[in-house]
Amino acid sequence: MTKFRVCLFGAGEMATTHAINLRADPRMVLAYVVDPSAERAGALAAATGARMVDPDTAFADPDIAAYIIASPPRTHADYLERAARSSAHVFCEKPIDHDIGRARACLAAMKGREAFVQMGFNRRFDPQFIALKQAIAAGRIGTPEQVLIVSRDAEAPPVEGFVHSSGLIKETAVHDFDLIRWLLEDEVAEVYVMADALINPDYLSVGQIDTTTTSIRMARGTHVTVLNSLRAAFGYDQRLEVLGTLGQAAVGNMVGSQLVLATTQGVLGEKPYQSYFQRYAKAYRSEMQDFATAVATGGRVTPDAIDGLRASEVAEAALLSMAEKRPVAL
Amino acid sequence: MTKFRVCLFGAGEMATTHAINLRADPRMVLAYVVDPSAERAGALAAATGARMVDPDTAFADPDIAAYIIASPPRTHADYLERAARSSAHVFCEKPIDHDIGRARACLAAMKGREAFVQMGFNRRFDPQFIALKQAIAAGRIGTPEQVLIVSRDAEAPPVEGFVHSSGLIKETAVHDFDLIRWLLEDEVAEVYVMADALINPDYLSVGQIDTTTTSIRMARGTHVTVLNSLRAAFGYDQRLEVLGTLGQAAVGNMVGSQLVLATTQGVLGEKPYQSYFQRYAKAYRSEMQDFATAVATGGRVTPDAIDGLRASEVAEAALLSMAEKRPVAL
Amino acid sequence: MTKFRVCLFGAGEMATTHAINLRADPRMVLAYVVDPSAERAGALAAATGARMVDPDTAFADPDIAAYIIASPPRTHADYLERAARSSAHVFCEKPIDHDIGRARACLAAMKGREAFVQMGFNRRFDPQFIALKQAIAAGRIGTPEQVLIVSRDAEAPPVEGFVHSSGLIKETAVHDFDLIRWLLEDEVAEVYVMADALINPDYLSVGQIDTTTTSIRMARGTHVTVLNSLRAAFGYDQRLEVLGTLGQAAVGNMVGSQLVLATTQGVLGEKPYQSYFQRYAKAYRSEMQDFATAVATGGRVTPDAIDGLRASEVAEAALLSMAEKRPVAL
Amino acid sequence: MTKFRVCLFGAGEMATTHAINLRADPRMVLAYVVDPSAERAGALAAATGARMVDPDTAFADPDIAAYIIASPPRTHADYLERAARSSAHVFCEKPIDHDIGRARACLAAMKGREAFVQMGFNRRFDPQFIALKQAIAAGRIGTPEQVLIVSRDAEAPPVEGFVHSSGLIKETAVHDFDLIRWLLEDEVAEVYVMADALINPDYLSVGQIDTTTTSIRMARGTHVTVLNSLRAAFGYDQRLEVLGTLGQAAVGNMVGSQLVLATTQGVLGEKPYQSYFQRYAKAYRSEMQDFATAVATGGRVTPDAIDGLRASEVAEAALLSMAEKRPVAL
């Protein structure tokens, strides 16, 4: 069996997750790990049987079948453009680039290539959301009219840990913007964002907010509400519900244990999962399997680079709405 | 509008509930309250506009259309036999008499009367259980095969408060025996009881037990399990589920408030109702309304005196099973 | 016992509900029913033992202790102003008047009166929402940050039946605006509404919309989302959840039967209540009892006329937001 | 790293599951597959990189560190006794032998060995049941008083497919007998079984029944009810609840998808898992990991051979109770 050689950029949590999931596919072999921290890169390389190399070595190797870009956002565009000069496929965590102009330039540079780019919007691979999308496709709830997405982290970071973040819109809400495009097979037409630092007003001092309530009108008219927050004290709060002409389809939070305790205090169930690595474990596995299959078979997958650009454009409009306190059309 | 005059025996909690529910029916008027405690009878009579009288006065009045017997069990047979000499209808809390022979004699005394006797098996009037019975009748779960009844009090009484009780089988399980006859429209063929004093071993010193696990085989073969206990710390635990050839129908505990709190401790719902007066409030109203309608219209209602006798016979067999530690056939 | 004589304006569904609930209070007697339809007024009067009279007779009677205004919205201001000249208390369905100027004039006319005005915002009396408010007051979820209200009718009316309606904002959302003021004990600072006719585009031809997604920022910063729709095919959809610094409190839909059927099709529970008369039955009883108690004891109740005005002001801002497609500050 | 070489007896569904889970442990290598069907053994060996051998070859190899016995029940005792002559560890599916005498002889043959035997009672490794046991150990519900186990297959086999089965007691209920010993850390004192062929009376013609209701009294007095059936039309029905002095702990059925559809039909959730391979996937993985760890580290694990014998003894008593229609003491 031919094994496809893969190079991984990044050695943090996300990169490690992708490395583990990639290794579960017998067709793939992780050849290189690239990360500026020799300590991190070395550890991940050792654990996976890969070699730690520098970017130049990685891009000079003509036998790399696929690049996985799970390094910090600011490095994505560079790596994408260098990968564009090879014939390798690319898996890239969002965003292409936080600067929309640069992101568009990246897409231009990849124009006409045979190889594909898959963006890391993991929610599209979640079995729960897939079941919901299938229920809509099967006509179970008719035409969607009003959608609610709740997407909240379990624990807010300290101010100093958030200073270099892309922020709640570009880091979190952008996932929901892609989710809604995929779920409804429709484009965002208009977005209005109400944003505040309610959890910790000190976030404002580093240009961040922690709570957003976003209203979206889709091109076909469907209303979408996205509730984002840096903290839901009870756990990672990920819910989706769609009201249609014939009824409602909903996916609630996932819980690891089903144990229910009934005492004088009440009836107590367990908290939902506390992190995206738990909640979306199956989605991460599935998106990497789909990537591997596409690499191995030459298939095509979504979300692609255009999807990456579209989600970023919605995020950009959302930030403009925040700044100008008005709905922004796309 | 002719008003039907009713006489109530008893002035305790159960009698008071019946009085309140009876007064909600504009066709009925509570004429008399009979109770050896002048204080209790007087208070209830005053609150309801009735007169406190002695039994002789009550039975001497030819204009009483109905007697409601909600006095202690040992008085039922006497009152039933005296009522049998009138043309009035009777509502009687279970049992007819704890002595089966005496109960049968009561039935014999009532033979041939035009007026009817309705026994106070309130569970037959519970909207939840009625919905379950209707689902079975509609064929939603096919033929019943295995039934589970959970029926537990919220709080166990002190030993001294339980010494004069009819005991867990005759006080509580007998309701479940009637429930299952009504639900399955079938007779109990065999009963096996495992009984212990697990909550408080001191109950044994007054001839009582607090925990029973009862296995019943119905005449048509259906298996029934009844779990009774004097205490479920979280509340009055009343559940019913029926496995049939096509699926299962179940009714869980009822909760007054739907408030759900999600915190770092978990996801907390409210406790179920704590007493039968809360849990079966609608059932008590409904059984009294049905009684009033039957009195006013000359209709017929179940459960009748035969049902009362049958449930007592199952209870008798259950006690024999406990004593002889073997299944007992009916 | 002195009985307080009450006059009821209106003989429709809402008025009938109030009449029934009022009659359950032994301190109150329904003296008059006033309605332009002699047929409706006569029927309600007959059923309740009241007299059908014209408004002049009603207002000329100095022994009326309270007026209940449950007639169409356009009549409220007139009745309120005439009632203001008496010393009677008033219960008034919302709105005071759809014209804010006229509503303010009404309040001015009532200035300095001893008697009180209670507005018919029934949600404040719902035991579920009261439990949620108490949980917040008890500190169970910390400081509220992000609130979600779902409030949808079960069935959308035909276009011709909606032509004279006050519309989704003034008819339905205004309840949610009052609810949020009461729940958070805070004022609405800013409102943005996205509104469309998604269920039936023909509503637009009579100036109506059927689906609104409303974003509110409260004075203390809390975010509120209100999802309104004329139709949730599965039933009257009334939910409320509040994310706070320490967790979340939520109240879901109420269901009449707890029956759960598990079959090859899945696990099926019953639909929620289908109408506000079912869902808010206890709230309607409770608001009328509180009114009666306040009349009888001279107490004071909320929501009062100022609350009525405030909710209307938010509705007005919501309509302006719809018209000008921008957030509107209050 | 030293790899431990393992020999697997059996090549059916259960054996294949163990092979897959074993291979996930980098310390283990599957050396041999033994099965009378060369086709099945060859396929499994090929898929796992093992060699297909006969029993003599397998037992003659002194470098086998562990035997896994997942062949039909009638072969267990032979393989166990032959394994007993080696120094290898053994994992053995239940039962040791359906004949209690033979099972005891097996245990005698293993007496004094250093190596251990782990029995395949997978429910002890289920995270849900472990969480429940930990809740009891932590004192969350006080002392257990009344336990309910529901354990039903999703689909009943045809009569001809059940003729050679060990039957509902020895095949299914025996798992529950072990579960309750482990959960309560107590021994079964008395068992009473009510058994019938309600699903298909033709089972009786091959000496089988399909529905059992079992009442157990533990040595410390706790009541246990076990409801077994060959068919729950909605899915593999596996529930456990324990009432204790302070409350109740319960684990319900597990569902793969959380999708909930609310329509005019009601509120519909998905069916539970349909098979034990789905429901207990994690338990199977965990029991094999624990076995591998014990092999690699020389640790000790439960359930051991004594546990296997005890569960069989309860099953034997259950069958006697069925035959003689009376409770049987152990």
Side-chain angles (χ1 to χ4, degrees), chain A residues 63-313:
Chain A
D63 289 339
I64 291 297
Y67 295 102
I68 296 177
I69 304 174
S71 46
R74 70 179 179 285
T75 65
H76 292 187
D78 269 354
Y79 288 150
L80 275 167
E81 283 165 356
R82 295 187 70 175
R85 284 170 227 139
S86 77
S87 62
H89 301 291
V90 180
F91 178 97
C92 183
E93 282 299 317
K94 52 90 189 161
I96 298 171
D97 195 273
H98 279 317
D99 181 276
I100 288 284
R102 181 75 194 275
R104 290 200 180 110
C106 267
L107 258 79
M110 287 184 281
K111 196 148 193 181
R113 291 181 80 228
E114 290 255 321
F116 67 84
V117 174
Q118 178 179 339
M119 295 300 295
F121 287 121
N122 59 303
R123 280 155 178 77
R124 290 193 184 209
F125 297 87
D126 177 59
Q128 309 295 332
F129 296 156
I130 289 170
L132 197 159
K133 190 178 195 311
Q134 288 171 338
I136 295 175
R140 304 291 294 271
I141 60 161
T143 305
E145 293 169 350
Q146 209 167 26
V147 180
L148 172 69
I149 298 177
V150 176
S151 176
R152 294 165 177 152
D153 286 342
E155 215 174 326
V159 174
E160 53 277 17
F162 205 49
V163 65
H164 295 301
S165 163
S166 319
L168 190 55
I169 291 290
K170 289 195 162 180
E171 192 70 38
T172 297
V174 72
H175 274 292
D176 304 310
F177 299 155
D178 179 69
L179 175 60
I180 202 64
R181 290 182 63 247
W182 166 78
L183 185 77
L184 298 179
E185 298 178 4
D186 195 6
E187 295 294 338
V188 170
E190 193 180 78
V191 59
Y192 173 74
V193 182
M194 198 162 67
D196 285 283
L198 300 177
I199 297 170
N200 188 346
D202 293 346
Y203 284 131
L204 295 175
S205 66
V206 295
Q208 301 283 7
I209 43 80
D210 54 38
T211 302
T212 57
T213 295
T214 302
S215 301
I216 288 171
R217 184 187 273 116
M218 302 300 287
R220 285 200 292 272
T222 315
H223 286 202
V224 179
T225 297
V226 183
L227 304 183
N228 293 126
S229 165
L230 283 183
R231 179 189 60 201
F234 56 93
Y236 187 50
D237 192 11
Q238 300 285 300
R239 292 176 280 152
L240 176 54
E241 63 178 55
V242 181
L243 177 76
T245 49
L246 303 178
Q248 181 168 280
V251 167
N253 279 317
M254 291 182 66
V255 176
S257 159
Q258 305 208 81
L259 181 65
V260 174
L261 293 172
T263 67
T264 53
Q265 304 302 306
V267 178
L268 184 73
E270 191 161 319
K271 287 181 292 186
Y273 286 131
Q274 297 296 302
S275 73
Y276 49 92
F277 285 112
Q278 285 181 296
R279 169 62 185 84
Y280 290 117
K282 286 188 181 175
Y284 286 122
R285 276 203 292 278
S286 183
E287 74 172 352
M288 197 43 59
Q289 281 164 9
D290 276 25
F291 177 69
T293 296
V295 166
T297 64
R300 278 218 147 325
V301 292
T302 61
D304 62 16
I306 298 286
D307 293 313
L309 182 64
R310 290 284 169 273
S312 286
E313 287 169 347

Side-chain angles (χ1 to χ4, degrees), chain B residues 92-104:
Chain B
C92 184
E93 282 300 317
K94 52 92 187 161
I96 298 172
D97 195 273
H98 279 316
D99 182 274
I100 289 284
R102 180 74 195 277
R104 291 202 179 107

Side-chain angles (χ1 to χ4, degrees), chain B residues 70-327:
Chain B
S71 46
R74 70 180 179 284
T75 66
H76 292 187
D78 269 355
Y79 288 150
L80 276 166
E81 284 166 356
R82 294 186 71 175
R85 283 171 229 139
S86 77
S87 62
H89 302 291
V90 180
F91 177 96
C92 184
E93 282 300 317
K94 52 92 187 161
I96 298 172
D97 195 273
H98 279 316
D99 182 274
I100 289 284
R102 180 74 195 277
R104 291 202 179 107
C106 266
L107 258 78
M110 287 185 280
K111 196 147 191 181
R113 290 182 80 228
E114 291 253 322
F116 67 86
V117 174
Q118 177 180 340
M119 295 298 296
F121 287 120
N122 59 302
R123 281 155 179 76
R124 292 194 184 208
F125 297 87
D126 178 58
Q128 310 295 332
F129 296 156
I130 289 171
L132 197 157
K133 191 178 197 307
Q134 288 171 338
I136 295 175
R140 304 290 295 269
I141 60 160
T143 306
E145 292 170 351
Q146 208 168 26
V147 180
L148 172 69
I149 299 177
V150 177
S151 175
R152 295 165 176 151
D153 285 343
E155 216 174 326
V159 174
E160 54 278 18
F162 205 50
V163 65
H164 295 301
S165 164
S166 320
L168 190 55
I169 292 290
K170 290 195 163 180
E171 191 70 38
T172 298
V174 73
H175 274 292
D176 304 310
F177 300 154
D178 179 70
L179 175 60
I180 202 63
R181 291 182 64 247
W182 166 77
L183 186 76
L184 299 178
E185 297 178 5
D186 196 5
E187 294 295 337
V188 170
E190 194 181 79
V191 59
Y192 172 74
V193 182
M194 198 163 67
D196 285 283
L198 299 178
I199 297 169
N200 189 347
D202 292 348
Y203 284 130
L204 296 175
S205 67
V206 295
Q208 301 283 8
I209 43 80
D210 53 38
T211 303
T212 57
T213 295
T214 301
S215 300
I216 288 170
R217 185 186 273 116
M218 303 299 287
R220 287 200 292 271
T222 314
H223 286 202
V224 179
T225 297
V226 183
L227 303 183
N228 293 126
S229 165
L230 283 183
R231 178 190 59 202
F234 56 92
Y236 187 50
D237 192 12
Q238 300 285 301
R239 291 176 281 150
L240 175 55
E241 63 177 54
V242 181
L243 177 76
T245 50
L246 303 178
Q248 181 168 282
V251 167
N253 279 318
M254 290 182 68
V255 176
S257 160
Q258 305 208 80
L259 182 65
V260 173
L261 293 173
T263 67
T264 55
Q265 304 302 307
V267 178
L268 184 72
E270 190 162 321
K271 288 182 290 186
Y273 286 131
Q274 297 296 303
S275 73
Y276 49 92
F277 286 112
Q278 285 181 294
R279 168 63 184 85
Y280 291 117
K282 285 188 182 176
Y284 286 123
R285 275 204 292 277
S286 182
E287 74 173 353
M288 199 41 61
Q289 281 164 8
D290 276 24
F291 177 70
T293 296
V295 167
T297 65
R300 277 217 146 329
V301 292
T302 61
D304 63 15
I306 298 285
D307 293 312
L309 182 63
R310 291 285 170 270
S312 286
E313 287 169 346
V314 181
E316 209 62 31
L319 290 170
L320 184 61
S321 171
M322 273 173 57
E324 304 195 347
K325 300 179 189 302
R326 62 170 181 91

